[in-house]
Amino acid sequence: MVDEDGYFGEHVAARYDADEAEMFAAEAVDPAVTLLARLAGRGRALELGVGTGRIALPLARRGIPVHGIDLSRAMVARLRAKPGGDDIGVTLGDFATTRVAGSFSVAYLVFNTLMNLTSQQAQVDCFRNVADHLEPGGTFVVEVMVPELRKLPPGAQAVPFQIGPTRWAYDVYDVATQAMSSHYVDVVDGRGSFTSTPFRYVWPAELDLMAQLAGLRLRERRGGWAGEPFTGESQRHVSVWQKPVHADGKGR
């Protein structure tokens, strides 16, 4: 990950909520918040990559104390400017390694944000960091895409996902390293600009191994927040891993 002036600086923060308006709609937010609130129970929630508060704010409105970790000062400033934003505790730092005080009953990482960690080691470190923050019986929830490699014809590397009169966007995959990047061409007043953000895609089974290395076990995997079955055709998954209650590794 890069510093707050890099990929998620003011140039992204200023338009993030508008660019991702569909993800701020009630039908996208409410099912996620409902599941997270249930898992939190009477405990605290830790959001990795809290951003502008898309999930943290409505979760806090349900009475769940939320603390966030984020690398971007610009994104956190947008969170702070919203009603209730000052009630969300935020620690600035890389969520793969940054520690905060106390323990949590649920930690979560949504909307493909895990892929902002661009190496396997960083993703493993993230699972270990979360495990250290969870209380016994606590859960770690990740929402992330299933890699769309089946869309790649032989010899191709790019998959377009947005084509319009003022924006073209496409993902580029390196199947040898699992590196990928999203590229955007925007046209404003007849002038074009180009931006690119690196990611690392990750498979569900690989995540299960990362969880195992961190001492967590898979509790459930869904095809979405509403509880859809996870199948070979699912484009994303919402996975829940649990920290054992007892030292012998047995859960509740």
Side-chain angles (χ1 to χ4, degrees), residues 54-136:
R54 182 179 71 93
I55 300 297
L57 289 170
L59 185 59
R61 286 195 290 268
R62 296 202 186 190
I64 306 298
V66 181
H67 192 96
I69 300 175
D70 206 288
L71 200 62
S72 171
R73 296 179 186 274
M75 297 285 274
V76 172
R78 299 282 165 165
L79 162 64
R80 292 285 186 233
K82 294 179 180 180
D86 286 336
D87 297 329
I88 308 296
V90 177
T91 300
L92 289 169
D94 183 340
F95 59 69
T97 56
T98 298
R99 297 299 305 271
V100 302
S103 60
F104 299 84
S105 57
V106 66
Y108 60 96
L109 188 52
V110 299
F111 195 22
N112 298 326
T113 306
L114 177 66
M115 300 195 311
N116 291 132
L117 301 174
T118 55
S119 72
Q120 185 184 69
Q121 185 61 61
Q123 292 171 345
V124 170
D125 289 344
C126 176
F127 271 79
R128 287 175 169 156
N129 192 29
V130 166
D132 288 342
H133 282 91
L134 289 177
E135 61 189 31

Side-chain angles (χ1 to χ4, degrees), residues 33-212:
V33 171
T34 295
L35 175 61
L36 294 169
R38 177 171 63 81
L39 292 172
R42 297 183 179 180
R44 303 166 68 211
L46 177 65
E47 179 167 1
L48 284 68
V50 67
T52 65
R54 182 179 71 93
I55 300 297
L57 289 170
L59 185 59
R61 286 195 290 268
R62 296 202 186 190
I64 306 298
V66 181
H67 192 96
I69 300 175
D70 206 288
L71 200 62
S72 171
R73 296 179 186 274
M75 297 285 274
V76 172
R78 299 282 165 165
L79 162 64
R80 292 285 186 233
K82 294 179 180 180
D86 286 336
D87 297 329
I88 308 296
V90 177
T91 300
L92 289 169
D94 183 340
F95 59 69
T97 56
T98 298
R99 297 299 305 271
V100 302
S103 60
F104 299 84
S105 57
V106 66
Y108 60 96
L109 188 52
V110 299
F111 195 22
N112 298 326
T113 306
L114 177 66
M115 300 195 311
N116 291 132
L117 301 174
T118 55
S119 72
Q120 185 184 69
Q121 185 61 61
Q123 292 171 345
V124 170
D125 289 344
C126 176
F127 271 79
R128 287 175 169 156
N129 192 29
V130 166
D132 288 342
H133 282 91
L134 289 177
E135 61 189 31
T139 52
F140 181 30
V141 184
V142 173
E143 176 198 20
V144 68
M145 63 176 279
V146 176
E148 298 183 308
L149 300 191
R150 289 193 295 178
K151 292 184 177 181
L152 287 174
Q157 293 181 297
V159 176
F161 62 88
Q162 189 173 352
I163 299 175
T166 60
R167 168 171 274 202
W168 310 308
Y170 59 96
D171 288 329
V172 174
Y173 292 84
D174 183 338
V175 297
T177 65
Q178 292 182 216
M180 63 174 291
S181 52
S182 292
H183 304 266
Y184 303 87
V185 177
D186 291 289
V187 179
V188 178
D189 297 329
R191 298 176 62 89
S193 64
F194 174 80
T195 56
S196 178
T197 305
F199 301 101
R200 180 184 186 270
Y201 69 80
V202 59
W203 299 99
E206 186 182 7
L207 291 173
D208 290 340
L209 183 56
M210 292 180 186
Q212 182 179 340

